[in-house]
Amino acid sequence: MNNKMNRRSFLKRMLGGAISLLGLSGGSYYYAKYMEPSMLSVQEEKIISSNIPPQLEGLRVLQFSDTHLGFHYDITQFERLVHHINKQQCDLLLFTGDLFDAPNEASFEMLEQAASLLDSITAPLGKFWIYGNHDHGGYGTDLIATYMEKGGFTLLQNQHKTLTYNGEEFIVSGLDDVMLGKPDISRALPPQAAHTFTMLLCHEPDYVEHIKGEPFDIQLSGHSHGGQIQIPFLGHMVTPPYAKQYVEGWHTIRSNQSLYVSRGLGTTRLPYRFLCKPEFTVHTLTAQKQDG
């Protein structure tokens, strides 16, 4: 079975690569490199759960991810993103990792500009973030933490925060990056998570398979970029480790536990997006009505 799967995966990559090279020539190439990566889309989604109490109904949570500043994503694009984020007037802001593509290569000016723009984002219940693999990479761990703090963001590195909305408590938890960090779910989730609505931030979506028995209601992830290049009938062409099984959108993990994977905003490895527009997401909490 494994040999068959490996052969199938290999053939898919080879065929996908050939089609990509042929299909992304001429006008398609120009579209994928220069047009679609700038086609910012705003996804409106509902987080529906029976664990959401009526007091949390209507809470708006904005998730953005994977800007990869410096790799074909510049400060002008980031400024436009921040403008659109503020237009949403959300209650809570969550960043699910990978601010810069190579933090150690970023100029002081770009780091300062990014922090200033992050600081201009407003969210009454706070702004929280987690490490992605690129944030830890390139000796960026402390550097990114410094500039995210300047931007008014609170790091959740195997930590949690209990927040209150309309008099009702809920929990936002965050894991350290799976690939280059040391995720510890036992530290990230407090005991009260078992009976309190809990959102878990984890950069790599596939890690949900290792922690799906833990008491959280939804995992919000990025990392995948939605595959960046999507070819009809072949699917996602560029999927990194820990984003092979869950690549974009909604997934039901258990009866009352779900995963949402953002396509993110920037690119990495290849400066293309094809049939995979960059996005940020506005999640509205919605209490699931009980039968009877």
Side-chain angles (χ1 to χ4, degrees):
M1 177 64 74
N2 287 336
N3 288 336
K4 289 182 179 179
M5 288 302 295
N6 289 338
R7 183 172 180 270
R8 184 182 303 168
S9 298
F10 174 77
L11 290 174
K12 178 179 176 180
R13 286 196 297 269
M14 289 292 290
L15 182 58
I19 290 177
S20 297
L21 287 172
L22 293 172
L24 297 184
S25 60
S28 296
Y29 171 86
Y30 184 88
Y31 171 83
K33 186 171 183 179
Y34 298 106
M35 295 180 67
E36 187 167 303
S38 297
M39 292 180 177
L40 179 63
S41 62
V42 183
Q43 293 294 109
E44 295 274 355
E45 302 287 347
K46 290 183 178 180
I47 297 177
I48 302 173
S49 172
S50 59
N51 287 338
I52 296 175
Q55 294 91 333
L56 297 184
E57 184 89 26
L59 172 65
R60 284 162 56 82
V61 179
L62 191 146
Q63 176 195 2
F64 72 111
S65 195
D66 296 274
T67 47
H68 287 267
L69 276 160
F71 183 82
H72 299 269
Y73 195 92
D74 59 28
I75 284 295
T76 300
Q77 288 173 285
F78 194 57
E79 185 175 16
R80 175 172 169 253
L81 167 66
V82 168
H83 171 73
H84 282 284
I85 285 175
N86 275 329
K87 281 178 63 176
Q88 306 306 314
Q89 296 184 318
C90 288
D91 303 294
L92 177 65
L93 199 73
L94 305 175
F95 178 65
T96 44
D98 282 357
L99 181 67
F100 279 82
D101 194 68
N104 61 314
E105 297 176 8
S107 68
F108 174 76
E109 181 183 13
M110 195 174 194
L111 288 163
E112 288 287 334
Q113 288 174 322
S116 178
L117 287 167
L118 289 169
D119 192 48
S120 71
I121 300 174
T122 58
L125 294 182
K127 304 183 294 188
F128 300 90
W129 75 286
I130 57 170
Y131 281 111
N133 56 304
H134 282 256
D135 299 316
H136 274 317
Y139 304 100
T141 303
D142 294 334
L143 186 67
I144 293 300
T146 296
Y147 283 94
M148 289 299 288
E149 185 177 4
K150 281 188 174 184
F153 277 71
T154 299
L155 173 63
L156 297 177
Q157 187 179 17
N158 299 323
Q159 295 166 299
H160 71 274
K161 291 290 181 182
T162 301
L163 304 176
T164 303
Y165 181 79
N166 286 339
E168 184 69 31
E169 291 186 344
F170 67 101
I171 296 167
V172 179
S173 294
L175 282 174
D176 197 4
D177 180 68
V178 173
M179 295 176 66
L180 297 179
K182 296 179 180 179
D184 188 338
I185 192 69
S186 65
R187 289 173 53 203
L189 293 175
Q192 62 266 35
H195 51 78
T196 304
F197 179 71
T198 300
M199 292 182 283
L200 176 68
L201 312 183
C202 179
H203 185 63
E204 289 87 351
D206 289 0
Y207 196 66
V208 74
E209 287 296 316
H210 296 272
I211 57 172
K212 60 186 178 183
E214 301 293 338
F216 62 90
D217 297 284
I218 179 172
Q219 176 178 310
L220 299 177
S221 296
H223 185 54
S224 70
H225 298 214
Q228 283 193 190
I229 299 170
Q230 296 188 21
I231 304 296
F233 308 111
L234 288 175
H236 315 94
M237 293 295 103
V238 186
T239 52
Y242 290 98
K244 304 288 187 184
Q245 184 171 354
Y246 302 108
V247 182
E248 66 173 318
W250 284 105
H251 303 274
T252 299
I253 304 303
R254 303 176 75 195
S255 60
N256 201 32
Q257 192 176 66
S258 56
L259 164 69
Y260 181 82
V261 187
S262 171
R263 292 196 301 266
L265 293 147
T267 60
T268 190
R269 293 192 286 177
L270 297 171
Y272 312 115
R273 278 187 179 267
F274 189 73
L275 302 182
C276 188
K277 293 179 182 178
E279 69 176 12
F280 68 83
T281 307
V282 177
H283 300 280
T284 302
L285 268 56
T286 305
Q288 189 175 52
K289 302 299 186 291
Q290 300 293 326
D291 295 335

